[in-house]
Amino acid sequence: MSDDEQLRVSKIPRGTVIDHITGGEAMHVLSILGIEGGDGDTVSIVMNAPSDRLGTKDIVKVEDRELSQAELDVLSLIAPAATINIIRDFEVVEKDRVSRPEEVAGVLSCPNRNCITTGNEPVESRFDVLAEGVRCAYCGTIVRDDIADLID
Amino acid sequence: MPHDHIISAKQLSRADIEEVLDRAAEIDDNPAAFTQRHPGALLGLLFFEPSTRTKMSFTAAIKRLGGDVVDMGPVEYSSVEKGESLADTVRVVEGYADALVMRHPSEGSAKMASEFVDVPLINAGDGAGQHPTQTLLDLYTIRENAGLDDLTIGIMGDLKYGRTVHSLAHALTNFDATQHFISPESLKLPRSVRYDLHEEGATIREHTELEPILSSLDVLYVTRIQKERFPDESEYRAVAGEYQIDAQTLEEVNDDVTVLHPLPRVDEIDHDVDATEHAQFFEQAHNGVPVRMALLDLMLEGESA
Ligand SMILES: [Zn+2]
């Protein structure tokens, strides 16, 4: 991050900074993380900051929180260029790019209302990740746009 | 048969398909040789929506192999009415049978059910999804009448919701077949099916009219256009009328095309076609028994090995 950006959002003692989120997708990132504002997490958001790589980008900082692999997997679908910075004692201790998984399980719900995974069955949703979009492993429905809308 | 469960035509390779069709041909040639193939074998029937025909066909198949059925019966009288999950139902019923056949109104139900059972499970239709045994009997009939390679086939009618169409189109990608899809604009192939066909490198063409291509076809596979797909009766009549065929058209345009239909039909194939050489749809329905016998034989054989 440049100094300029650091001014926009102050450093955090401990937690995760998700940088290079596709501009405008920050709110979706929050919903992937299950952050609705009511649970007391300290969250800072920058939206539509200028970015050399992306044109505009969003940044999300979440204090006292690290991301699960499932969360990272879904994140990669809506923000493929995102970088994940793990912060401890105000320092970046780990920096990772998200990578597209082969499948995502348990995070998205199938938009096909007639799909068995949307009923009352003891089964996790599972989507295969395609070059463009995702596909329900059970009913075969393909979703290209608005994947974030499928987050449970 | 390398598969534990038969869920989708997509899982079937050319070798798998040929293995089943070859066995079906053996059965057709000499059914008496198979009557004691699986004495005492029990096939569990789980039909969560009515499909008398498919059920009868499977029942005939297992009985002609020396086995019998255990039938869940109509959903109204089962635990499903009490709110039991499908996953629980199949786990209970697998203890009663050597193999299961399931028809269910939800897409993906057969795949999910198969993850909960150890006995072989055959999908006999999951919502608008897949119906692989229909596909196998379709392929068997096409092979008998026109051959599966160097084949030009027209598939006409409701291509959007017709699961038999989706399964068949996918299975044909294993062969040297050119597929023409003929339907009203509103009932074209869904995106997921078109995606699969492209992935498989299939040669497909889509049309809104049959006439320009009818003369090039070896096989015309007709499906029913359902009234419920249209906002009103008059629109349905206008559209459906465009996708009907009769004996005269066939004689004039293509006098050796084989006409198939998964049945039941309404009026998309005129009754005057029935008496012609074109009509193979009753034969096609009858082929359900040897083809399902072949599949069950191969699956049960694998079980006891
Ligand atoms: Zn689904």
Side-chain angles (χ1 to χ4, degrees):
Chain A
M1 256 192 297
S2 68
D3 289 347
D4 183 40
E5 281 160 10
Q6 289 190 7
L7 282 177
R8 275 190 247 273
V9 184
S10 59
K11 283 192 168 190
I12 60 174
R14 183 189 165 79
T16 304
V17 176
I18 307 163
D19 195 1
H20 301 109
I21 298 166
T22 316
E25 293 288 337
M27 301 312 273
H28 288 140
V29 170
L30 294 183
S31 62
I32 292 171
L33 304 182
I35 293 170
E36 288 164 349
D39 35 17
D41 294 316
T42 306
V43 180
S44 330
I45 305 166
V46 175
M47 289 184 84
N48 298 311
S51 159
D52 292 340
R53 243 192 312 144
L54 300 171
T56 64
K57 66 171 185 178
D58 293 358
I59 306 165
V60 169
K61 298 189 178 194
V62 191
E63 295 192 32
D64 300 319
R65 172 79 191 267
E66 293 187 10
L67 272 55
S68 71
Q69 191 57 47
E71 290 168 336
L72 289 172
D73 285 349
V74 182
L75 186 62
S76 74
L77 300 178
I78 63 161
T83 45
I84 311 297
N85 302 276
I86 311 283
I87 314 289
R88 287 180 198 138
D89 288 332
F90 297 99
E91 296 297 327
V92 177
V93 295
E94 202 182 314
K95 194 179 182 94
D96 296 306
R97 295 284 291 269
V98 292
S99 60
R100 275 175 97 75
E102 281 183 14
E103 65 164 42
V104 288
V107 198
L108 303 175
S109 68
C110 186
N112 172 9
R113 284 166 55 203
N114 201 36
C115 176
I116 193 73
T117 61
T118 65
N120 186 28
E121 297 292 338
V123 65
E124 240 185 13
S125 74
R126 225 167 67 226
F127 286 80
D128 297 321
V129 177
L130 311 175
E132 277 176 81
V134 295
R135 178 175 213 173
C136 176
Y138 288 90
C139 74
T141 298
I142 294 178
V143 183
R144 294 233 163 94
D145 312 312
D146 303 323
I147 291 169
D149 293 345
L150 306 182
I151 297 163
D152 270 334
Chain B
M1 188 59 7
H3 306 286
D4 296 335
H5 308 292
I6 301 295
I7 305 302
S8 160
K10 282 187 221 171
Q11 77 189 98
L12 299 174
S13 67
R14 182 176 177 129
D16 294 337
I17 292 167
E18 285 175 339
E19 188 182 20
V20 177
L21 303 195
D22 290 348
R23 181 67 59 95
E26 280 175 50
I27 292 169
D28 244 347
D29 280 349
N30 187 8
F34 289 82
T35 53
Q36 287 306 310
R37 286 284 292 175
H38 299 282
L42 286 179
L43 184 62
L45 301 177
L46 296 109
F47 280 68
F48 293 89
E49 60 179 19
S51 173
T52 321
R53 217 85 66 81
T54 305
K55 198 163 161 175
M56 286 174 75
S57 178
F58 270 108
T59 305
I62 191 69
K63 289 191 172 178
R64 287 191 187 281
L65 290 169
D68 207 340
V69 294
V70 276
D71 186 353
M72 177 180 84
V75 168
E76 302 87 274
Y77 307 125
S78 71
S79 310
V80 179
E81 264 301 271
K82 303 186 188 107
E84 185 175 62
S85 69
L86 174 61
D88 280 4
T89 305
V90 295
R91 276 181 287 187
V92 171
V93 176
E94 78 162 328
Y96 307 157
D98 301 298
L100 300 175
V101 174
M102 189 177 103
R103 157 80 56 109
H104 192 280
S106 299
E107 283 101 65
S109 50
K111 182 177 166 69
M112 190 210 74
S114 74
E115 292 171 356
F116 287 91
V117 298
D118 291 322
V119 301
L121 184 139
I122 299 173
N123 181 9
D126 60 328
Q130 292 273 330
H131 190 5
T133 61
Q134 174 72 44
T135 301
L136 287 165
L137 73 91
D138 290 343
L139 294 170
Y140 184 75
T141 314
I142 294 168
R143 189 170 84 165
E144 297 271 284
N145 284 280
L148 285 167
D149 284 311
D150 196 19
L151 169 75
T152 303
I153 184 170
I155 302 179
M156 180 168 84
D158 181 350
L159 309 183
K160 186 172 181 185
Y161 300 98
R163 63 184 162 203
T164 60
V165 167
H166 305 163
S167 290
L168 177 61
H170 203 281
L172 284 169
T173 63
N174 288 295
F175 300 90
D176 176 20
T178 302
Q179 304 191 55
H180 293 276
F181 294 95
I182 310 112
S183 72
E185 198 60 42
S186 61
L187 295 175
K188 282 170 69 173
L189 286 176
R191 172 154 82 180
S192 59
V193 175
R194 216 175 300 131
Y195 174 88
D196 283 333
L197 298 177
H198 282 295
E199 284 284 285
E200 298 299 328
T203 314
I204 66 165
R205 312 227 189 299
E206 299 184 86
H207 314 266
T208 51
E209 282 176 75
L210 172 65
E211 211 211 311
I213 52 144
L214 178 57
S215 66
S216 70
L217 302 180
D218 303 311
V219 173
L220 176 61
Y221 190 100
V222 185
T223 65
R224 186 159 53 107
I225 293 180
Q226 292 180 312
K227 224 181 289 186
E228 306 84 79
R229 309 293 182 214
F230 293 87
D232 61 67
E233 175 92 20
S234 63
E235 198 170 323
Y236 159 72
R237 294 236 157 268
V239 172
E242 305 266 310
Y243 300 91
Q244 291 169 352
I245 54 157
D246 55 34
Q248 196 192 336
T249 316
L250 293 171
E251 292 317 313
E252 280 168 14
V253 186
N254 185 341
D255 62 8
D256 54 21
V257 65
T258 297
V259 177
L260 303 180
H261 192 300
L263 303 179
R265 72 173 149 175
V266 185
D267 46 16
E268 53 278 10
I269 301 175
D270 196 287
H271 286 282
D272 69 6
V273 177
D274 299 3
T276 68
E277 296 271 298
H278 303 290
Q280 292 296 323
F281 29 89
F282 292 114
E283 194 54 40
Q284 179 187 3
H286 299 164
N287 287 338
V289 176
V291 168
R292 290 182 171 114
M293 282 173 76
L295 186 65
L296 289 167
D297 185 30
L298 291 164
M299 292 180 89
L300 292 168
E301 194 174 74
E303 275 299 280
S304 52

